Amino acid sequence: MPATERAIELLTAAAEAAHDKKAENVLAFDVSEQLAITDAFLVASASNDRQVRAIVDAIEEKLRVDFDAKPVRREGAREGRWVLLDYLEIVVHVQHDEERNFYSLERLWRDCPMIPLPGADGTIAVQAPVADRSADIDPTPAAGSSASTPAAGSAASELSSAAE
């Protein structure tokens, strides 16, 4: 069952608020088929902690004013590196660029359908392709390590099937 109409409305409003504060690479994923706890994820990033907090504040205000929606959980706001806002229907992730690159939520949720969102200019944005980070991982074992362990074997097979 795809994301609800309300979830799409919340995502769109959150994306607009994020763009107003110069968020970068704002993407949305319909995770309703994979997760029972929420319909969709919104992921956005910023280049510094202060901007992450400003984006989060703008999203919270926009959803509170326009939809009378308040997050049931807010995590990471003090540090400003990765803030999670849980609105039940949607979960918003605002990450510092370094956390965004390291954790690569786009890669984790790449099997989920992307939800089109308005871009910074108000037009429906063409979603950025998900970077294939498998080239960053060397599938050959280091000298002295055993490639016969289940984890090493499954990682190598995953990499080889991803390359095909």
Side-chain angles (χ1 to χ4, degrees):
M1 184 164 145
T4 65
E5 187 175 321
R6 174 153 169 95
I8 303 295
E9 290 172 351
L10 290 171
L11 284 172
T12 302
E16 290 169 355
H19 283 301
D20 287 347
K21 294 297 180 182
K22 309 293 187 226
E24 301 164 356
N25 203 11
V26 180
L27 303 174
F29 298 91
D30 182 337
V31 297
S32 59
E33 295 292 321
Q34 284 75 16
L35 296 175
I37 58 172
T38 191
D39 285 345
F41 282 166
L42 180 78
V43 183
S45 55
S47 59
N48 62 63
D49 302 356
R50 180 176 282 185
Q51 188 180 10
V52 167
R53 286 191 287 271
I55 292 166
V56 167
D57 291 345
I59 290 170
E60 282 187 300
E61 182 175 343
K62 175 91 171 164
L63 297 184
R64 182 181 44 78
V65 169
D66 293 357
F67 296 93
D68 195 32
K70 295 177 185 168
V72 295
R73 187 169 63 224
R74 184 180 204 241
E75 295 181 15
R78 187 176 316 156
E79 297 83 16
R81 302 291 294 182
W82 180 349
V83 180
L84 180 141
L85 300 173
D86 184 351
Y87 286 92
L88 297 179
E89 294 102 338
I90 68 168
V91 175
V92 177
H93 300 269
V94 182
Q95 298 174 301
H96 189 284
D97 288 337
E98 292 170 1
E99 275 69 15
R100 178 91 180 250
N101 290 331
F102 183 79
Y103 290 102
S104 188
L105 292 179
E106 296 90 337
R107 188 172 180 329
L108 181 65
W109 297 104
R110 70 177 174 226
D111 293 337
C112 297
M114 295 187 79
I115 299 171
L117 294 171
D121 59 1
T123 61
I124 299 299
V126 175
Q127 302 295 335
V130 175
D132 181 10
R133 297 184 64 196
S134 63
D136 299 342
I137 302 169
D138 184 6
T140 58
S145 68
S146 171
S148 64
T149 63
S154 65
S157 66
E158 181 182 8
L159 286 173
S160 65
S161 64
E164 294 173 358

